[in-house]
Amino acid sequence: EDQVTQSPEALRLQEGESSSLNCSYTVSGLRGLFWYRQDPGKGPEFLFTLYSAGEEKEKERLKATLTKKESFLHITAPKPEDSATYLCAVLYNFNKFYFGSGTKLNVKP
Amino acid sequence: DGGITQSPKYLFRKEGQNVTLSCEQNLNHDAMYWYRQDPGQGLRLIYYSQIVNDFQKGDIAEGYSVSREKKESFPLTVTSAQKNPTAFYLCASSIDNGRALPDTQYFGPGTRLTVL
């Protein structure tokens, strides 16, 4: 049974076209939810940590939100350099992180 | 500069050989992790270690082994018992000091292993 599901698998946007990525989780007792950005052939780069429902974090064009069942990564007016795979991970047991399979974002100029 | 290093970046292995992937961190983090990433799949946990000389199996530990003799180092050996070792391997670390809020994992640049 999947613990973490990300949607869509792939997303193509025009530059400036805002959208949202979804991360839903089925585990109970969430201790933290993490968003990462991964460029091809590289390790994931940390973006945000969210700990409780209602929490929001922002960084430049990105904003992450958390509810009891899912998290959204909102991308406002994206640029081509935002193209990457965005990974979501949840921590519900001590030191065990569960990752989604990612959303591959492509922003066209 | 503080960070996590992995070597080599690319590794080729013949069938039947054991190979060891290096992971070093100078972040003074207690916990270290090894993940495997395959195309279209999420990261899967192989092993993790919360403290020196102690480590636990993750979800896909069969065919792999690790050691944690130093806080800074957590090498992963891919043995010949691993049936499908071709993948991208990622090492990560995090502070693990028992605080109530879990700390973020930070990742190394990865090692791509190919079996010939």
Side-chain angles (χ1 to χ4, degrees):
Chain A
E1 182 181 349
D2 287 337
Q3 310 277 5
V4 183
T5 303
Q6 290 188 246
S7 62
E9 289 186 11
L11 181 62
R12 179 177 292 186
L13 300 174
Q14 287 297 126
E15 184 171 3
E17 180 186 2
S18 300
S19 188
S20 297
L21 313 182
N22 178 262
C23 172
S24 63
Y25 56 93
T26 57
V27 299
S28 60
L30 181 78
R31 298 188 62 229
L33 186 141
F34 305 82
W35 282 99
Y36 292 87
R37 169 195 170 122
Q38 187 177 24
D39 293 301
K42 296 189 176 181
E45 173 189 344
F46 169 70
L47 293 174
F48 302 109
T49 305
L50 302 167
Y51 292 110
S52 58
E55 190 173 0
E56 298 182 354
K57 295 269 181 78
E58 281 189 74
K59 179 180 178 181
E60 297 180 359
R61 295 178 292 282
L62 300 176
K63 178 180 177 181
T65 62
L66 180 64
T67 71
K68 288 187 177 180
K69 291 295 183 186
E70 60 191 349
S71 176
F72 291 94
L73 184 65
H74 306 279
I75 304 177
T76 302
K79 298 181 178 181
E81 54 262 41
D82 294 322
S83 297
T85 296
Y86 291 84
L87 300 173
C88 164
V90 299
L91 176 67
Y92 76 99
N93 200 1
F94 191 63
N95 273 345
K96 291 193 74 174
F97 294 77
Y98 286 85
F99 281 81
S101 55
T103 292
K104 187 173 183 179
L105 174 65
N106 187 6
V107 181
K108 294 289 191 182
Chain B
D1 285 340
I4 304 174
T5 58
Q6 291 185 243
S7 62
K9 185 170 183 176
Y10 300 97
L11 186 57
F12 298 91
R13 189 194 94 169
K14 293 181 180 179
E15 287 200 23
Q17 281 184 335
N18 293 354
V19 291
T20 298
L21 283 59
S22 169
C23 177
E24 305 275 335
Q25 55 97 1
N26 61 3
L27 301 168
N28 200 32
H29 285 173
D30 300 293
M32 297 186 75
Y33 312 77
W34 274 106
Y35 291 90
R36 170 182 171 136
Q37 187 174 34
D38 294 283
Q41 297 189 38
L43 277 66
R44 292 183 290 168
L45 182 65
I46 304 172
Y47 269 98
Y48 66 99
S49 169
Q50 296 170 236
I51 196 170
V52 173
N53 291 323
D54 187 48
F55 47 84
Q56 286 78 41
K57 293 182 179 180
D59 300 315
I60 56 165
E62 185 175 352
Y64 301 97
S65 66
V66 294
S67 63
R68 186 88 186 275
E69 297 177 1
K70 298 186 299 181
K71 186 175 184 178
E72 302 79 18
S73 178
F74 191 40
L76 173 74
T77 296
V78 184
T79 74
S80 57
Q82 170 49 236
K83 299 302 180 188
N84 184 23
T86 295
F88 190 49
Y89 289 87
L90 288 160
C91 178
S93 70
S94 67
I95 297 174
D96 179 16
N97 57 15
R99 297 188 299 177
L101 293 180
D103 268 296
T104 301
Q105 287 187 333
Y106 294 91
F107 285 85
T111 291
R112 186 165 299 280
L113 173 63
T114 302
V115 174
L116 302 174

